[in-house]
């Protein structure tokens, strides 16, 4: 048996959802640069689920379905008040709330493709409401009901703050949602596919994926980047902070990638938005720290920034709480997880690799009363 640590380079499935070829990322054949500049997040959701861009009427229908399904069962909002909400990480709350949603969905265990598509719409719509409602309830504020006349991006920011965002904030959030929507067989998507390949239900697949996204080597890195920027505090502290980290062989969050070698094509868009928004909101030091960190890490380690690096300063400048950065990643990535889950059901085979055994050789059972104390 040959073990490929971390399954690096292993091709574990076929998929028509997204591709990374020669450091170019496409969703169903569309370059993300093109989509980021031109599309709405709702169009991208449709693209990921159908592998084609929607017509005007198809887009209208999807928007209506998302709007109609955005509200949460009151019991889920009430449940938030039952745990020590100020101490709970919002990713843990999101993971739990998504699992609870299944308990309110009569179709949760109905496995036909139409029911699965309806569940996809419900989950896509409700994740944003969960994250925004949790963020408000923990501050003692009432949740803000979703508005059906706003774009997905604007409605999310509206539900978070209670104010309709300006065009710049809406555009930035729309782009960020597009850039995070899918990424081939990343760890959380693989987790979702492994889960539903047992023919478990869509809610189980998304709950499992949220758990995988939470870790700092994956989606959790954006919050970790913000923690680093906060610790550094100002541009003149960057050099000593980063050099010490690299000397101690510690990882600098937001850098490196398992697949990209020349660089993550999403980072340049987030970098541009970080520059613009940090200046506009009077916090240019967050961008200045970030570009100095990038210069040092790319110079010394040849590691370019990934999607999580500039998204941190960008979300910060939108006034978003730092521990919501990874939940917002999930609000977007659920579109990709759902596309992959539906694709997995369409052509399913149980995912079950092997392990090379490295434990003790054959042992003889000794009854407990005869075992020597150690
Ligand atoms: C949405 C996303 O999931 S994007 C990724 C988000 N995660 C992060 O930003 C966390 C920081 N980055 C990392 O931990 C890694 O680059 C990963 C996990 C993303 C991918 O890494 P892998 O392909 O598994 O590489 P691995 O962790 O084995 O590292 C290979 C070498 O590069 C070094 N390295 C990799 N990333 C970094 C980093 N961010 N900072 C410093 N050194 C790094 C490792 O220390 C290791 O060095 P060594 O060979 O001297 O021991
Ligand atoms: O693909 C990966 O390994 C991680 C990543 O960038 C993502 O999920 O967006």
């Amino acid at each position: 048996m040959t073990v490929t640590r971390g399954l690096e380079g292993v091709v574990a499935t076929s998929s028509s959802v997204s591709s990374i070829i020669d450091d170019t990322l496409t969703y169903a054949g569309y370059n993300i640069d093109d989509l980021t500049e031109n599309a709405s997040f709702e169009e991208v959701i449709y693209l990921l689920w159908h592998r084609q861009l929607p017509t005007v009427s198809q887009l209208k229908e999807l928007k209506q379905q998302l709007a109609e399904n955005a509200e949460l069962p009151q019991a889920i909002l009430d449940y938030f008040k039952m745990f020590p909400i100020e101490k709970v990480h919002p990713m843990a709350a999101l993971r739990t709330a998504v699992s609870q949603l299944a308990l309110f969905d009569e179709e949760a265990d109905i496995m036909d493709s139409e029911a699965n598509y309806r569940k996809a719409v419900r989950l896509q719509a409700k994740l944003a409401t969960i994250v925004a409602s949790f963020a408000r309830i923990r501050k003692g504020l009432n949740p803000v009901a979703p508005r059906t006349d706003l774009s997905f991006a604007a409605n999310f920011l509206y539900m978070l703050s209670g104010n309709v965002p300006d065009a710049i904030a809406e555009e930035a959030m729309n782009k960020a949602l597009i850039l995070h929507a899918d990424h081939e067989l990343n760890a959380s998507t693989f987790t979702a596919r492994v889960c539903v390949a047992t023919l478990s239900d869509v809610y189980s697949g998304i709950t499992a994926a949220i758990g995988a996204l939470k870790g700092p080597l994956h989606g959790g890195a954006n919050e970790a980047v913000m923690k680093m920027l906060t610790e550094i505090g100002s541009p003149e502290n960057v050099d000593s902070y980063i050099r010490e980290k690299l000397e101690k062989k510690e990882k600098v969050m937001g850098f490196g990638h398992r697949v990209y070698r020349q660089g993550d094509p999403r980072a340049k868009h987030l970098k541009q938005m970080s520059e613009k928004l940090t200046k506009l909101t009077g916090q240019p030091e967050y961008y200045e720290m970030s570009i100095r960190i990038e210069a040092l890490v790319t110079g010394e380690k040849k590691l370019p920034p990934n999607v999580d690096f500039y998204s941190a300063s960008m979300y910060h400048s939108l006034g978003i709480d730092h521990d919501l950065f990874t939940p917002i990643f999930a609000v977007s990535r659920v579109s990709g997880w759902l596309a992959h889950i539906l694709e997995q059901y369409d052509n399913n085979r149980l995912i079950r690799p092997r392990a090379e055994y490295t434990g003790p050789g054959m042992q003889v059972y000794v009854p407990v009363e005869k075992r020597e104390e150690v």
Side-chain angles (χ1 to χ4, degrees):
M1 276 182 176
T2 339
V3 178
T4 308
R5 280 194 77 221
L7 300 181
E8 179 165 3
V10 172
V11 179
T13 194
S14 306
S15 175
S16 60
V17 183
S18 63
S19 70
I20 305 171
I21 299 169
D22 297 335
D23 284 10
T24 298
L25 172 61
T26 68
Y27 297 162
Y30 290 89
N31 192 310
I32 50 114
D33 293 341
D34 207 3
L35 294 170
T36 306
E37 290 309 324
N38 299 301
S40 67
F41 179 54
E42 293 91 322
E43 282 177 270
V44 167
I45 298 170
Y46 191 97
L47 175 65
L48 293 172
W49 293 358
H50 299 271
R51 320 294 194 269
Q52 58 185 33
L53 285 168
T55 62
V56 170
S57 59
Q58 287 165 336
L59 183 60
K60 190 171 166 217
E61 188 186 4
L62 177 65
K63 283 183 174 179
Q64 192 178 336
Q65 289 169 338
L66 291 172
E68 280 167 2
N69 283 284
E71 286 207 21
L72 298 178
Q74 183 59 38
I76 290 191
L77 298 174
D78 293 343
Y79 190 77
F80 283 156
K81 296 178 193 150
M82 289 168 65
F83 48 70
I85 196 164
E86 62 291 342
K87 293 194 196 130
V88 166
H89 195 283
M91 276 302 270
L94 178 65
R95 188 189 57 214
T96 301
V98 167
S99 184
Q100 286 174 326
L101 275 181
L103 312 182
F104 296 91
D105 190 336
E106 288 176 2
E107 292 193 305
D109 287 311
I110 296 178
M111 293 300 278
D112 70 64
S113 55
E114 283 170 16
N116 282 334
Y117 189 86
R118 286 193 291 274
K119 283 176 267 180
V121 170
R122 284 176 207 137
L123 276 157
Q124 182 67 56
K126 289 187 199 314
L127 252 75
T129 321
I130 293 172
V131 172
S133 304
F134 175 85
R136 290 183 67 83
I137 291 173
R138 72 174 173 174
K139 290 181 176 159
L141 301 168
N142 285 327
V144 171
R147 259 179 57 175
T148 53
D149 57 325
L150 298 176
S151 68
F152 191 99
N155 181 55
F156 177 63
L157 291 172
Y158 168 71
M159 288 193 296
L160 260 185
S161 71
N163 301 311
V164 176
D166 62 25
I168 293 174
E170 179 181 3
E171 186 194 359
M173 183 50 69
N174 182 63
K175 286 185 175 181
L177 290 169
I178 291 174
L179 289 166
H180 288 84
D182 196 49
H183 211 244
E184 201 223 47
L185 208 54
N186 63 86
S188 53
T189 301
F190 186 53
T191 303
R193 290 189 80 127
V194 170
C195 179
V196 302
T198 68
L199 294 184
S200 187
D201 65 290
V202 179
Y203 288 95
S204 298
I206 299 299
T207 306
I210 293 170
L213 187 73
K214 182 170 177 282
L217 295 188
H218 190 16
N222 55 13
E223 183 186 342
V225 170
M226 200 60 228
K227 185 167 176 276
M228 171 172 74
L229 293 174
T230 309
E231 277 168 12
I232 294 174
S234 79
E236 63 271 18
N237 300 335
V238 168
D239 285 43
S240 55
Y241 183 98
I242 295 295
R243 284 190 205 289
E244 193 185 328
K245 240 185 190 329
L246 294 178
E247 268 160 32
K248 286 194 202 152
K249 302 237 170 283
E250 285 174 11
K251 283 186 168 173
V252 183
M253 290 293 133
F255 287 86
H257 201 276
R258 177 60 71 75
V259 180
Y260 295 120
R261 286 294 162 252
Q262 302 308 316
D264 183 330
R266 300 165 295 182
K268 60 181 178 294
H269 297 282
L270 293 154
K271 183 174 180 176
Q272 272 170 16
M273 289 192 275
S274 164
E275 179 175 21
K276 181 171 161 183
L277 288 167
T278 51
K279 282 184 186 153
L280 267 175
T281 55
Q283 313 172 76
E285 65 278 13
Y286 285 95
Y287 179 70
E288 285 157 19
M289 282 190 273
S290 301
I291 52 172
R292 182 65 198 144
I293 297 170
E294 180 184 351
L296 283 172
V297 179
T298 48
E300 307 221 348
K301 296 286 289 186
K302 306 273 172 288
L303 287 170
N306 58 48
V307 71
D308 287 316
F309 187 63
Y310 284 102
S311 61
S313 45
M314 185 217 132
Y315 289 143
H316 172 76
S317 60
L318 286 176
I320 293 171
D321 295 343
H322 300 168
D323 60 1
L324 297 181
F325 293 1
T326 315
I328 291 173
F329 196 152
V331 165
S332 162
R333 181 57 58 87
V334 70
S335 59
W337 292 332
L338 289 162
H340 282 267
I341 286 174
L342 299 179
E343 185 180 56
Q344 184 68 37
Y345 286 141
D346 270 353
N347 185 20
N348 189 55
R349 190 161 190 229
L350 179 78
I351 300 171
R352 200 291 188 202
R354 297 296 313 274
E356 176 195 36
Y357 178 67
T358 57
M362 286 304 275
Q363 305 284 308
V364 177
Y365 180 81
V366 179
V368 67
E369 62 281 5
K370 295 205 173 143
R371 282 176 222 156
E372 278 179 33
E373 289 296 342
V374 281

